[in-house]
Amino acid sequence: MEYEGHTLRHELKYYINYDVYHVLRERLQTVIQMDENMPDEDGYLISSIYFDDMYHSAVEEKISGTRFRKKFRIRSYERDNQLIRLECKAKYNEYISKTSAKLSQEEYIQILSGNYDNLVRRKEQVCQELFCYSKTKLMRPVVVVEYRREAYVSPLGNVRITFDKDISASTGTLDMFSNEYHTTKVLPDDMLVLEVKYDDYIPSHILSLLQAAKADRCAVSKYVMCRDRKRMVKFT
C-alpha cells in the first residue's frame, strides 16, 4: 500500500516478558530467518536521537492517538559515527512509512549544536522538512532512545519481527558518540518489546506462533517511555 508516494506497512507492538521471549524466539527460529545484519544472536545496538518541537507535539500526538503524525530522529548502529542517518517515521492510521538520508559527521555535529543550515542544501525530503520545522516550530533534539534489537525476517509478506531489549534513555548529553554519554533503563529487567511489521499479510504459520504467545497488543512508544524517564532523572 502507498500513501503520498511512500510505501506503507502494518506495525504491531507488544510488551512481553522474557519467559514468552525465550519460547517465541526458539519457535520462530525454526520457520523464519535471522536478519543478515545481526552480528550474533544477541542482536545489534540501535541509538536514536529523537526530536520534538516547542509544543511537545511528538509526545502529545502519540499519547492522544493522533491518526497522522511524524517523528524525526538521527539513528546510528553500534554507535558507529561513520553510519549516521536522519529519518522520519510517519504514522497513517494503522500504517507506517519511513524516509531517510545519510548524514556526515559534520552535519550531525552542526544539528546537535542547533545549526540546521546545511540541511536546506540537501535534496532529500526528510532534510528539507526538518530544516523547515526547526525554523517554524523550533524542532530540536530532546532524548536518545537506545536498545539492543534482535531481528528476524521472512520474504513472505515482507515480515519483520524484532525483540527490543534493554531499552534505555539518555540522561545527560545527547551526543551518543561522546565519552560523557550515559543511559538509564526504562523497563523492568524482565520486560522487553516485541514488534511485528509486514506489508499486506502475515503467513499463517508465523501468525499462529505469534498468537500462541498470547501477548497483548499495546500502543507501545519507546520514545514516550524515554522522555518520561529523562524527566524523572532530571528532577531526582
Side-chain angles (χ1 to χ4, degrees):
M1 181 176 177
E2 290 193 359
Y3 181 84
E4 296 183 346
H6 301 303
T7 299
L8 300 182
R9 286 165 57 77
H10 296 271
E11 181 181 58
L12 310 176
K13 297 184 178 183
Y14 309 83
Y15 288 113
I16 62 173
N17 61 42
Y18 270 84
D19 289 336
V20 172
Y21 158 70
H22 287 299
V23 172
L24 182 55
R25 176 184 190 245
E26 183 177 351
R27 292 174 177 174
L28 282 173
Q29 287 177 340
T30 66
V31 299
I32 197 170
Q33 297 177 343
M34 183 186 297
D35 187 333
E36 62 180 12
N37 294 311
M38 284 175 50
D40 53 53
E41 289 192 352
D42 193 40
Y44 49 86
L45 186 69
I46 295 178
S47 306
S48 300
I49 306 173
Y50 278 85
F51 292 72
D52 209 343
D53 60 28
M54 60 189 295
Y55 308 107
H56 306 289
S57 299
V59 169
E60 297 300 328
E61 290 176 356
K62 172 60 181 180
I63 293 174
S64 64
T66 302
R67 294 172 62 196
F68 303 102
R69 58 185 186 268
K70 293 182 177 182
K71 286 202 297 284
F72 290 86
R73 65 195 182 200
I74 294 176
R75 173 163 287 189
S76 179
Y77 297 89
E78 299 292 344
R79 295 187 197 160
D80 182 354
N81 60 12
Q82 300 299 312
L83 181 59
I84 309 172
R85 302 194 69 83
L86 173 63
E87 299 180 345
C88 176
K89 183 178 180 180
K91 181 84 170 180
Y92 306 94
N93 288 328
E94 296 299 314
Y95 298 91
I96 60 165
S97 71
K98 186 174 72 173
T99 55
S100 66
K102 187 174 182 180
L103 293 180
S104 67
Q105 286 182 264
E106 180 61 29
E107 288 170 325
Y108 166 81
I109 293 170
Q110 289 185 352
I111 290 173
L112 283 190
S113 67
N115 183 356
Y116 295 75
D117 291 345
N118 277 344
L119 293 181
V120 76
R121 292 186 277 272
R122 297 285 299 268
K123 62 181 181 180
E124 296 91 344
Q125 178 181 334
V126 64
C127 296
Q128 295 286 331
E129 285 188 333
L130 182 58
F131 174 79
C132 290
Y133 287 146
S134 73
K135 300 300 182 183
T136 60
K137 296 184 177 182
L138 300 183
M139 184 80 79
R140 293 293 184 270
V142 290
V143 70
V144 184
V145 177
E146 188 166 276
Y147 50 92
R148 187 159 295 277
R149 169 163 284 180
E150 183 180 341
Y152 299 88
V153 296
S154 171
L156 299 175
N158 193 20
V159 176
R160 182 175 177 83
I161 298 173
T162 58
F163 299 102
D164 293 341
K165 302 170 285 187
D166 300 326
I167 301 170
S168 303
S170 58
T171 57
T173 179
L174 297 179
D175 184 358
M176 53 194 171
F177 307 121
S178 168
N179 291 331
E180 303 300 318
Y181 172 72
H182 302 287
T183 63
T184 182
K185 288 186 178 181
V186 301
L187 283 179
D189 289 340
D190 63 338
M191 297 295 294
L192 65 154
V193 172
L194 164 67
E195 294 189 3
V196 182
K197 299 182 180 71
Y198 62 97
D199 287 349
D200 298 319
Y201 72 99
I202 302 177
S204 59
H205 63 290
I206 298 176
L207 182 60
S208 63
L209 292 180
L210 294 171
Q211 292 173 335
K214 297 181 179 179
D216 294 325
R217 184 182 173 189
C218 303
V220 179
S221 173
K222 294 188 286 288
Y223 165 67
V224 173
M225 285 191 290
C226 289
R227 284 291 300 272
D228 288 344
R229 181 58 176 165
K230 186 164 186 177
R231 290 193 192 101
M232 290 174 60
V233 171
K234 181 177 180 181
F235 292 107
T236 56

